[in-house]
Amino acid sequence: MVDQTLERLDPLSAAAARPVTTGAALLAIALPPLVLVTRGHEVVQPLWFVVAYLAVLAATALLLDRSRPTRPVWQSTSAQVFQLLLMAATIASAASTAGANAQLRDDWAPLVVGILLVACTPYRPAREIVVWTAVHTLLCAALGIVQAPFAVSDVPTITFAVTGSFTVAVLGFAAAAYAHSLVTSTRLWQERAWQSAASAVRAQRTGVARSVQQRRITVLNHEAVPYLQRIIDTPTVSEEDRDEARRLARSIRAVLVAEVQRTWAQQMLDDVVARRPRLNIVAVADDPDDLGRRSSLERRTLLRALAVVGVERLGASEVHLRLRAPEGRLAVECTLAVPHSLRDARRELRSMIELIRGLTRRFSLREREGRVVLEFEYGY
């Protein structure tokens, strides 16, 4: 099971945290030049300083790219590359000031690494941050021990190990605790929200059952009862009466079968459209395998939210929802006939688009035959 992150649980909150991530990344970029200006005499190997700074630039660029709301969820492979770049920056920074430290392990790299670990808390799981913090801490301690015999300060070797790793350890473990707190609080909020939604569904089941029963009663009152009354008042039964009886039987059977065979997706669209009875909205679900009913609650909630936004926010007159399962994944195509251009629709759906991109594997928004088409696919 993939460790949970704020980005997976609540993509919009992760998107809202991006300004903080950007600020931390800019601070990490600004620290090395500041150190170079204030203590440039300690950089005895300028080439290694350039290598270290390039590694920091690459790590921050990767962080800023993967934290964009329009990007898919940050995967573990690129996250490992991010951590390896931070390790390379630490080693190169230590090499650039080897033997010239005026104070106790005053390299800038541990502070930069700690800041970037804090910056990635919305996007990486707490367990991963703990592991990598331990790795960075041990690396900084080892570098401190290696540089101790050649350092300017005359203190015990263990002091270099502690001072060299203290900064990254404090910031890194604090970042892990913060990531764990974000995930825990978000999951607690979601559990309460699902419980509330389940209670609302149970409260509405009676109304839905009543609506189904009313449709059956309508068929009986408008067609079957008048027919039976006419048969009672007629002394003989003609061939036309038999044909009418067959037609009524087929009609009643069709209503009953339609209710039984109606897919979850069609039921959901009918429920959304029923909230706007004055509007003539056509809602059709193409889900022959009833994939919607077998989907998780989170996926069904996203499908319902998309239909509601299409009807209430965009004023769609037609909603066509198509569900397929290529190679075991859930592929969704939602076509909306809206009185907006593709550009206006994209602007109105901005929050929904960011949410879908954060939760799904692939997303596209395009225009086809005057209609707005949204496509996305589940499965990682």
Side-chain angles (χ1 to χ4, degrees):
M1 180 179 179
V2 179
D3 289 334
Q4 293 290 354
T5 64
L6 179 65
E7 186 181 26
R8 291 182 182 273
L9 291 174
D10 190 358
L12 293 182
S13 294
R18 192 168 189 264
V20 178
T21 302
T22 303
L26 294 178
L27 178 61
I29 293 175
L31 278 177
L34 181 61
V35 172
L36 183 63
V37 171
T38 57
R39 299 201 306 270
H41 61 280
E42 296 180 6
V43 181
V44 295
Q45 297 291 338
L47 179 60
W48 283 112
F49 180 88
V50 173
V51 172
Y53 192 56
L54 290 177
V56 172
L57 290 177
T60 53
L62 179 59
L63 173 64
L64 292 176
D65 176 68
R66 302 310 304 184
S67 63
R68 286 189 300 162
T70 55
R71 297 286 288 171
V73 174
W74 197 358
Q75 300 297 307
S76 59
T77 302
S78 58
Q80 292 174 4
V81 173
F82 172 76
Q83 299 292 348
L84 291 176
L85 287 171
L86 295 183
M87 293 180 64
T90 301
I91 296 173
S93 173
S96 68
T97 59
N101 299 80
Q103 302 176 21
L104 300 182
R105 284 290 298 135
D106 55 358
D107 287 344
W108 48 265
L111 180 57
V112 169
V113 171
I115 291 173
L116 292 179
L117 286 176
V118 173
C120 69
T121 51
Y123 318 104
R124 302 310 307 158
R127 184 185 307 177
E128 178 183 301
I129 296 176
V130 167
V131 172
W132 281 107
T133 297
V135 172
H136 291 300
T137 301
L138 293 175
L139 176 62
C140 291
L143 291 174
I145 294 174
V146 170
Q147 291 195 61
F150 311 100
V152 176
S153 302
D154 185 16
V155 295
T157 301
I158 190 63
T159 304
F160 282 93
V162 173
T163 57
S165 59
F166 181 76
T167 302
V168 67
V170 170
L171 291 176
F173 289 124
Y178 183 50
H180 177 71
S181 175
L182 287 175
V183 170
T184 302
S185 59
T186 302
R187 291 183 65 178
L188 178 60
W189 176 85
Q190 287 185 346
E191 289 175 1
R192 292 175 177 174
W194 292 129
Q195 292 174 359
S196 177
S199 300
V201 169
R202 285 193 295 269
Q204 292 180 1
R205 281 178 180 172
T206 303
V208 173
R210 187 183 300 113
S211 176
V212 172
Q213 190 67 20
Q214 285 175 349
R215 283 194 290 269
R216 298 173 181 173
I217 294 174
T218 298
V219 175
L220 294 175
N221 287 341
H222 290 181
E223 299 185 29
V225 172
Y227 168 77
L228 293 175
Q229 186 63 45
R230 183 164 55 84
I231 292 298
I232 292 174
D233 297 336
T234 303
T236 60
V237 178
S238 64
E239 188 64 30
E240 290 77 9
D241 294 331
R242 294 188 179 91
D243 294 338
E244 180 69 11
R246 296 188 188 97
R247 187 190 67 80
L248 287 175
R250 287 194 298 267
S251 178
I252 295 173
R253 188 182 300 109
V255 171
L256 298 177
V257 171
E259 294 297 338
V260 173
Q261 295 183 346
R262 196 164 52 143
T263 64
W264 176 89
Q266 188 62 57
Q267 291 177 355
M268 180 270 293
L269 291 180
D270 291 343
D271 181 55
V272 172
V273 171
R275 299 177 183 179
R276 297 290 184 271
R278 297 183 179 180
L279 302 179
N280 186 21
I281 302 175
V282 178
V284 179
D286 181 9
D287 184 14
D289 298 325
D290 203 5
L291 299 173
R293 195 178 306 278
R294 302 202 304 268
S295 298
S296 64
L297 180 59
E298 291 82 356
R299 294 182 178 183
R300 293 201 303 267
T301 301
L302 180 60
L303 294 177
R304 182 181 295 273
L306 179 58
V308 171
V309 169
V311 171
E312 298 186 358
R313 189 75 176 269
L314 295 181
S317 59
E318 295 181 17
V319 180
H320 187 95
L321 184 63
R322 185 172 182 266
L323 303 181
R324 292 293 184 271
E327 300 179 359
R329 299 186 298 270
L330 178 61
V332 180
E333 178 183 296
C334 183
T335 304
L336 304 171
V338 298
H340 299 282
S341 64
L342 180 62
R343 181 178 180 182
D344 293 338
R346 186 185 298 274
R347 183 173 60 252
E348 293 292 333
L349 293 172
R350 180 177 179 181
S351 297
M352 179 60 65
I353 291 173
E354 291 179 356
L355 178 63
I356 294 175
R357 280 175 168 161
L359 294 175
T360 61
R361 180 183 183 184
R362 179 181 58 85
F363 173 82
S364 67
L365 175 63
R366 67 181 190 277
E367 187 174 8
R368 184 176 64 194
E369 298 178 358
R371 288 169 168 78
V372 175
V373 180
L374 299 92
E375 285 187 287
F376 53 92
E377 187 176 284
Y378 284 99
Y380 292 98

